[in-house]
Every structure is written in C-alpha cells, then in structure tokens.
Coordinates of all heavy atoms in Angstrom, one line a residue:
V1 N 61.1 36.0 138.3 CA 62.0 35.8 137.2 C 63.3 36.5 137.4 O 64.4 36.1 137.1 CB 61.4 36.3 135.9 CG1 61.4 37.8 135.7 CG2 62.3 35.7 134.7
L2 N 63.4 37.5 138.3 CA 64.5 38.3 138.7 C 65.3 37.6 139.8 O 66.3 38.2 140.3 CB 64.2 39.7 139.0 CG 63.6 40.6 137.9 CD1 63.3 41.9 138.3 CD2 64.4 40.7 136.6
K3 N 64.9 36.4 140.2 CA 65.6 35.7 141.2 C 67.1 35.4 140.6 O 68.0 35.4 141.4 CB 64.9 34.5 141.5 CG 65.3 33.8 142.8 CD 64.4 32.6 143.1 CE 64.6 32.1 144.5 NZ 63.6 31.1 144.9
R4 N 67.3 35.1 139.4 CA 68.5 34.8 138.8 C 69.4 36.0 138.6 O 68.8 37.0 138.1 CB 68.4 34.1 137.5 CG 67.8 32.6 137.7 CD 67.6 32.1 136.2 NE 68.7 32.2 135.4 CZ 69.5 31.2 134.9 NH1 69.3 30.0 135.3 NH2 70.6 31.5 134.1
D5 N 70.6 36.0 138.9 CA 71.5 37.1 138.8 C 71.7 37.6 137.2 O 71.9 38.8 137.0 CB 72.9 36.8 139.3 CG 72.9 36.7 140.8 OD1 71.8 37.0 141.5 OD2 74.0 36.3 141.3
D6 N 71.6 36.6 136.3 CA 71.7 37.0 134.9 C 70.6 38.0 134.5 O 70.7 38.9 133.7 CB 72.0 36.0 134.0 CG 70.9 34.9 134.0 OD1 70.3 34.6 135.1 OD2 70.8 34.1 133.0
Y7 N 69.4 37.8 135.0 CA 68.2 38.6 134.7 C 68.4 40.0 135.6 O 67.9 40.9 135.0 CB 67.0 37.8 135.0 CG 66.8 36.6 134.2 CD1 66.6 35.5 134.7 CD2 66.7 36.8 132.8 CE1 66.5 34.3 133.9 CE2 66.5 35.6 132.0 CZ 66.4 34.4 132.7 OH 66.2 33.3 131.9
K8 N 68.9 39.9 136.7 CA 69.2 41.2 137.4 C 70.1 41.9 136.6 O 70.1 43.3 136.6 CB 69.7 40.8 138.9 CG 68.8 40.3 139.9 CD 69.4 40.1 141.2 CE 68.5 39.3 142.1 NZ 68.9 37.9 142.1
Q9 N 71.1 41.3 136.1 CA 72.2 42.1 135.3 C 71.6 42.8 134.2 O 72.1 43.8 133.8 CB 73.3 41.1 134.8 CG 74.4 41.8 134.4 CD 75.1 42.7 135.5 OE1 75.3 42.4 136.6 NE2 75.6 43.9 135.1
V10 N 70.5 42.3 133.5 CA 69.8 43.1 132.4 C 69.4 44.5 133.0 O 69.5 45.4 132.3 CB 68.6 42.2 132.0 CG1 67.7 43.0 131.1 CG2 69.1 40.9 131.2
I11 N 68.9 44.4 134.3 CA 68.4 45.8 134.8 C 69.5 46.6 134.9 O 69.5 47.9 134.6 CB 67.6 45.4 136.1 CG1 66.5 44.4 136.0 CG2 67.1 46.7 136.8 CD1 65.4 44.8 135.0
V12 N 70.7 46.1 135.6 CA 71.8 46.9 135.9 C 72.3 47.5 134.6 O 72.7 48.7 134.5 CB 72.8 46.1 136.5 CG1 74.1 46.8 136.7 CG2 72.3 45.7 138.0
D13 N 72.5 46.7 133.5 CA 73.1 47.1 132.3 C 72.2 48.2 131.7 O 72.7 49.1 131.0 CB 73.3 46.0 131.4 CG 74.3 45.0 131.8 OD1 75.2 45.3 132.6 OD2 74.4 43.9 131.3
S14 N 70.9 48.0 131.8 CA 70.0 49.1 131.2 C 70.1 50.4 131.9 O 70.1 51.5 131.4 CB 68.5 48.5 131.2 OG 67.7 49.5 130.6
L15 N 70.2 50.4 133.3 CA 70.4 51.5 134.1 C 71.7 52.2 133.7 O 71.7 53.4 133.5 CB 70.3 51.3 135.6 CG 69.0 50.9 136.1 CD1 69.0 50.4 137.6 CD2 67.9 52.0 135.9
K16 N 72.7 51.4 133.6 CA 74.1 52.0 133.1 C 74.0 52.6 131.7 O 74.5 53.7 131.6 CB 75.0 50.8 133.1 CG 76.5 51.1 133.0 CD 77.4 50.0 132.8 CE 77.2 49.0 133.9 NZ 78.2 47.8 133.8
F17 N 73.2 52.1 130.9 CA 73.1 52.6 129.5 C 72.3 53.9 129.6 O 72.7 54.8 128.9 CB 72.3 51.6 128.6 CG 71.9 52.2 127.2 CD1 72.9 52.3 126.3 CD2 70.8 52.8 127.0 CE1 72.7 52.8 125.0 CE2 70.4 53.3 125.8 CZ 71.4 53.3 124.7
L18 N 71.2 54.0 130.3 CA 70.3 55.2 130.4 C 71.2 56.4 131.0 O 71.1 57.5 130.6 CB 69.2 55.0 131.2 CG 68.0 54.0 130.7 CD1 66.8 53.7 131.6 CD2 67.4 54.8 129.4
V19 N 72.0 56.1 131.9 CA 72.8 57.1 132.6 C 74.0 57.5 131.6 O 74.2 58.7 131.4 CB 73.5 56.6 133.9 CG1 74.6 57.6 134.4 CG2 72.4 56.4 135.1
A20 N 74.7 56.6 130.9 CA 75.6 56.9 130.0 C 75.0 57.7 128.9 O 75.7 58.7 128.2 CB 76.2 55.7 129.3
Q21 N 73.9 57.5 128.5 CA 73.1 58.2 127.4 C 72.5 59.6 128.0 O 71.9 60.3 127.2 CB 71.9 57.4 126.8 CG 72.5 56.2 126.0 CD 73.4 56.6 124.9 OE1 72.9 57.4 124.0 NE2 74.6 56.2 124.8
E22 N 72.7 60.0 129.2 CA 72.2 61.1 129.8 C 70.8 61.3 129.8 O 70.1 62.4 129.7 CB 72.9 62.4 129.3 CG 74.5 62.4 129.5 CD 75.2 63.6 129.0 OE1 74.6 64.4 128.4 OE2 76.4 63.5 129.2
R23 N 70.0 60.2 129.9 CA 68.6 60.2 130.0 C 68.1 60.2 131.4 O 67.0 60.7 131.6 CB 68.0 59.0 129.3 CG 68.5 59.0 127.8 CD 67.8 57.9 127.0 NE 66.3 58.1 126.8 CZ 65.5 57.2 126.4 NH1 66.0 56.0 126.0 NH2 64.2 57.5 126.2
C24 N 68.9 59.9 132.4 CA 68.4 59.9 133.8 C 69.7 59.9 134.6 O 70.8 59.6 134.3 CB 67.6 58.7 134.1 SG 68.4 57.2 134.1
E25 N 69.5 60.2 136.0 CA 70.4 60.0 137.0 C 69.7 58.9 138.0 O 68.7 58.9 138.2 CB 70.7 61.3 137.8 CG 71.1 62.5 137.0 CD 72.5 62.4 136.4 OE1 73.2 61.5 136.8 OE2 72.8 63.2 135.6
V26 N 70.7 58.0 138.3 CA 70.2 56.9 139.3 C 70.8 57.2 140.6 O 72.0 57.2 140.8 CB 70.5 55.5 138.8 CG1 70.0 54.6 139.9 CG2 69.8 55.3 137.3
Y27 N 69.9 57.4 141.7 CA 70.5 57.6 143.0 C 70.4 56.5 144.0 O 71.2 56.3 144.9 CB 69.6 58.8 143.6 CG 69.8 60.1 143.0 CD1 68.8 60.6 142.2 CD2 71.0 60.8 143.1 CE1 68.9 61.8 141.4 CE2 71.1 62.1 142.3 CZ 70.0 62.6 141.6 OH 70.2 63.7 140.9
A28 N 69.5 55.5 143.5 CA 69.4 54.4 144.5 C 68.6 53.3 143.7 O 67.7 53.7 142.8 CB 68.8 54.6 145.7
F29 N 68.7 52.0 144.0 CA 68.0 51.0 143.4 C 68.1 49.7 144.3 O 69.0 49.5 145.2 CB 68.5 50.6 142.1 CG 69.8 49.8 142.0 CD1 69.8 48.4 141.8 CD2 71.0 50.4 142.1 CE1 70.9 47.7 141.8 CE2 72.2 49.8 142.1 CZ 72.2 48.3 141.9
V30 N 67.1 48.9 144.1 CA 67.2 47.5 144.6 C 66.4 46.6 143.5 O 65.4 46.9 143.0 CB 66.7 47.4 146.1 CG1 65.1 47.6 146.0 CG2 67.0 46.0 146.6
I31 N 67.0 45.4 143.3 CA 66.4 44.5 142.4 C 65.9 43.2 143.2 O 66.8 42.6 143.7 CB 67.3 44.1 141.2 CG1 67.8 45.3 140.4 CG2 66.6 43.1 140.3 CD1 69.0 45.0 139.5
M32 N 64.8 43.0 143.3 CA 64.2 42.0 144.1 C 63.8 40.8 143.2 O 63.6 41.0 141.9 CB 62.9 42.5 144.8 CG 63.2 43.6 145.9 SD 64.5 43.2 147.1 CE 63.5 42.1 148.1
P33 N 63.4 39.7 143.7 CA 63.1 38.6 142.7 C 61.9 38.8 141.7 O 61.8 38.3 140.7 CB 62.7 37.4 143.7 CG 63.5 37.8 144.9 CD 63.4 39.3 145.0
N34 N 60.9 39.7 142.2 CA 59.8 40.1 141.2 C 59.4 41.5 141.0 O 58.4 41.8 140.6 CB 58.6 39.2 141.7 CG 58.1 39.5 143.0 OD1 58.6 40.6 143.7 ND2 57.3 38.7 143.6
H35 N 60.2 42.3 141.6 CA 60.1 43.8 141.3 C 61.3 44.5 141.6 O 62.3 44.0 142.1 CB 59.0 44.3 142.3 CG 59.3 44.3 143.8 ND1 59.5 43.2 144.5 CD2 59.8 45.4 144.5 CE1 59.7 43.4 145.7 NE2 59.9 44.8 145.8
I36 N 61.4 45.8 141.1 CA 62.5 46.6 141.3 C 61.9 48.0 141.9 O 60.9 48.4 141.7 CB 63.2 46.9 139.9 CG1 62.3 47.7 139.0 CG2 63.8 45.6 139.4 CD1 63.0 48.3 137.7
H37 N 62.8 48.7 142.7 CA 62.6 50.0 143.2 C 63.9 50.8 142.7 O 65.0 50.5 142.8 CB 62.6 50.0 144.7 CG 61.5 49.3 145.3 ND1 60.1 49.6 145.0 CD2 61.5 48.2 146.2 CE1 59.4 48.8 145.7 NE2 60.1 48.0 146.4
L38 N 63.5 52.0 142.3 CA 64.5 53.1 141.8 C 64.2 54.3 142.6 O 63.1 54.7 142.6 CB 64.4 53.2 140.4 CG 64.8 52.0 139.4 CD1 64.6 52.4 138.0 CD2 66.0 51.4 139.6
I39 N 65.4 55.0 142.8 CA 65.2 56.5 143.0 C 66.0 57.1 141.9 O 67.2 56.9 141.9 CB 65.7 56.9 144.4 CG1 64.8 56.3 145.5 CG2 65.8 58.4 144.6 CD1 65.4 56.6 147.0
W40 N 65.3 57.9 141.1 CA 66.1 58.3 139.8 C 65.4 59.7 139.5 O 64.4 60.0 140.1 CB 65.9 57.3 138.7 CG 64.6 57.0 138.1 CD1 63.4 57.4 138.5 CD2 64.4 56.3 136.8 NE1 62.4 56.8 137.6 CE2 63.1 56.2 136.6 CE3 65.4 55.6 136.0 CZ2 62.6 55.5 135.5 CZ3 64.7 54.9 134.9 CH2 63.4 54.8 134.7
Q41 N 66.2 60.3 138.6 CA 65.6 61.6 138.1 C 65.9 61.6 136.5 O 66.9 61.4 136.1 CB 66.3 62.8 138.7 CG 65.8 64.1 138.0 CD 66.5 65.2 138.7 OE1 67.8 65.1 139.0 NE2 65.9 66.4 138.8
I42 N 64.7 61.7 135.8 CA 64.8 61.8 134.3 C 65.3 63.2 134.0 O 64.9 64.2 134.5 CB 63.3 61.6 133.8 CG1 62.7 60.4 134.3 CG2 63.5 61.7 132.2 CD1 63.5 59.0 134.0
N43 N 66.3 63.2 133.1 CA 67.0 64.4 132.7 C 66.0 65.3 131.9 O 65.1 64.9 131.2 CB 68.2 64.1 132.0 CG 69.3 63.6 132.9 OD1 69.3 63.8 134.2 ND2 70.3 62.9 132.4
Q44 N 66.3 66.6 132.0 CA 65.4 67.6 131.5 C 65.0 67.5 130.0 O 63.9 67.9 129.8 CB 66.0 69.0 131.8 CG 65.0 70.1 131.6 CD 65.7 71.5 131.9 OE1 66.7 71.5 132.7 NE2 64.9 72.6 131.7
H45 N 65.9 67.1 129.2 CA 65.6 67.0 127.8 C 64.9 65.7 127.4 O 64.9 65.4 126.2 CB 66.8 67.3 127.0 CG 67.4 68.7 127.3 ND1 66.8 69.8 127.0 CD2 68.5 69.0 127.9 CE1 67.5 70.9 127.4 NE2 68.5 70.4 128.0
H46 N 64.3 64.9 128.4 CA 63.7 63.8 128.0 C 62.3 63.6 128.6 O 62.2 64.1 129.8 CB 64.6 62.5 128.4 CG 65.8 62.5 127.7 ND1 66.0 62.0 126.5 CD2 67.0 62.9 128.1 CE1 67.2 62.0 126.1 NE2 67.9 62.5 127.1

C-alpha cells in the first residue's frame, strides 16, 4: 500500500508531527512499498 507517494507522505507527515511535538528525534528512515525502517529516539518524557 505504501507504493503510492501520497501514502508515503502520511508517514512523513506523522514523523514531522512527532518531532515538532518533541516526542522523538528521527535520525534516519526509509519508506518501502510494504514496510518502513526508522532510526529514532523516543524523548525522555514519553
């Protein structure tokens, strides 16, 4: 389902939101057609 760019953008927008809300730091990512990989760190107060 993530083959389409508009669905990939959902993932990107969500990561952007989580960072803006200081819930995590995102160091790396890749969005593949059927899975995602992240390198992230959840912030201490969450």
